[in-house]
Amino acid sequence: MSHFVIVGAGECGARAAFALREKGFDGSITLVGTETLLPYERPPLSKASLGETIEPKLIAAAERYEAANIRLLNGVSVESLDPEARNMVLSDGAVIAYDKLLLATGASAREFPGTSAMSARIRALRTHQDAIALRGVMQPGRHIAIIGGGFIGLEVAATAIKLGARVTLVEGLERVLKRGVPEEIAHALAERHRDEGIDLRCEAAIEAIGEAEGHAFIRMAGATLESDMILVGIGARPNVELAAKAGLAVDNGIAVDTHLQTSRADIYAAGDCCSFPLEIYGGKRVRLESWRNAQEQGTLAAANMMGGSETISAVPWFWSDQYDLTLQIAGLSDGAVTHLRRDLGDGAFILFHLDAGGRLLAASGIGTGNAVARDIRLAEMLIAARAHPDPAALTSTNVKLKSLLAA
C-alpha cells in the first residue's frame, strides 16, 4: 500500500490530505505539523481572531481526520529528509518512509535586521499564539507600534484601533503597500487609517528596536518611540531549509514545475513555500503568499501525486479587509504601462492594468463590503483568457464587464 506524507499542516497541507481522499486515494496518508493545535486558517489571525475571538478557526475537526483515515502528527518537525532512501527523521526520533512526499512548509515571518529572535514585547504574527499575545494589548490605554505597512501591519492596525488601543505604524518606504498595490488604492487606505486615528509614519529610518524597563522601543533618527508591544510585519520568507539540505532546487522558494514537482520526481511542493512558473505571464517564476493559492495548490498537488498531469493555471488573487473596506487584486501588474479607472459608486473603484499591447494583466479594486468582488472576478476571467479589452469599455460604467468576456 502506498504511503503519501505531507509535511506542513496548514491550509495547503490539510487541503491536500483531504483532496487525496476525495479523489479516491486509498493508501496511507500522514500529515506532519509543528504546532500542537489542529490545522487552522491563518487569514483570521489579523482580523477576526484579534477582534472577536481568540479561538482558532479550524480547517476541520479532529473527527474528520479520523473519518478520512488521515494520520495527523502534531507538535513535531522534520529534522532531516533523505530523498534517496525516501524517508525522514522527526524531532521525536521517529523515522517515516514515504512513496510520495508533499512539502507544504509555508513561510516564516522576517525578523527585523539586527534581532535574532522575537520576545514577549517584540512579536510577529504567524501563529495563533502570536494572535493571543497581540490581543492582550489591544485595549484602551495600551500602545502598539507596528513596523511595516503591508497587509498584516495595516489589518492589525485597523483591528487594534477599533478595540481602543493607540497605534503607531512605521514604514520605511515612502508609502504603505508599496509591493503590488497601486498608489491610488494605497493612498485611499492610508487616509482611512489616519482618519481612524492611526499615527502613520512613512519614510521612517529605524536604527534599532528593543525592550527595556517594561516597554518596547523603536529608535529612529532623532526620536525614540516607546510602546507596550512591537509587531514586526516586514514580510515573510519561504521555509526552504529542509528542502535545501536534502539537495532540492531552491529559487525564491522550493522550485517546482507547472505540475508542482520539485527537482525530485517523487517530491512535490505547494503553497507559500514554493516558486513556480506561471504560463499566463510567459513562464515567469513567482511565489505567492495567498490563502486561495494555498488551497488551489493543495488540491492540484494531490491530483498530480496520484498520477495526474494538471498544470498551474489559476490567476493570482489577493484580498484584505480593513475597517469596512475590502481590497481585492487579480493578476500581476508587473509590466503594465496603462492604468485605467472604473468608478463603481460610493467611493468604490477598480484599476485595470494593461501592457503595451493592450492585454489586461491585472485589476485592483477597493470599496466597502463586496462592492468590487463581482467585477474583480470578471476581470480575473478576462486575465485568464488573455483578453485585450477595449480601454473605453473598461472605464465606462455603461458597459458590463461580462459583455467583454463574452466578446
Side-chain angles (χ1 to χ4, degrees), residues 77-130:
S77 58
V78 179
E79 295 293 302
S80 63
L81 167 63
D82 186 341
E84 297 298 331
R86 289 199 296 186
N87 65 29
M88 62 189 70
V89 179
L90 304 185
S91 55
D92 62 3
V95 178
I96 297 182
Y98 64 84
D99 292 290
K100 289 187 180 178
L101 172 65
L102 171 62
L103 298 175
T105 49
S108 298
R110 292 189 184 278
E111 297 170 344
F112 188 82
T115 60
S116 59
M118 301 299 175
S119 66
R121 293 186 180 273
I122 302 175
R123 305 195 72 100
L125 180 55
R126 295 297 296 183
T127 69
H128 180 62
Q129 286 301 116
D130 291 330

Side-chain angles (χ1 to χ4, degrees), residues 135-196:
R135 185 64 175 82
V137 295
M138 289 184 174
Q139 51 188 285
R142 308 299 291 276
H143 181 204
I144 298 175
I146 300 171
I147 299 176
F151 287 141
I152 292 294
L154 293 173
E155 288 171 1
V156 171
T159 302
I161 203 79
K162 285 171 60 179
L163 292 171
R166 186 160 63 95
V167 181
T168 303
L169 191 146
V170 181
E171 168 58 55
L173 299 176
E174 67 273 17
R175 69 169 174 89
V176 298
L177 297 172
K178 184 71 174 179
R179 177 188 169 197
V181 177
E183 185 173 2
E184 198 169 347
I185 290 178
H187 176 74
L189 280 170
E191 287 305 301
R192 177 59 182 275
H193 280 283
R194 289 191 171 103
D195 290 344
E196 293 287 343

Side-chain angles (χ1 to χ4, degrees), residues 23-81:
K23 295 177 183 298
F25 179 68
D26 59 1
S28 300
I29 300 174
T30 299
L31 178 60
V32 181
T34 57
E35 293 190 59
T36 56
L37 295 172
L38 288 172
Y40 58 88
E41 295 189 358
R42 296 188 189 276
L45 293 181
S46 57
K47 308 178 187 73
S49 288
L50 286 176
E52 300 170 10
T53 175
I54 58 173
E55 292 301 315
K57 183 178 180 182
L58 299 180
I59 295 170
E63 293 77 12
R64 279 194 60 198
Y65 294 94
E66 295 173 6
N69 195 22
I70 296 170
R71 181 190 181 201
L72 182 57
L73 300 181
N74 286 329
V76 293
S77 58
V78 179
E79 295 293 302
S80 63
L81 167 63

Side-chain angles (χ1 to χ4, degrees), residues 236-253:
R237 54 178 179 78
N239 293 327
V240 301
E241 294 80 5
L242 180 65
K245 289 179 181 177
L248 302 182
V250 172
D251 181 2
N252 184 32

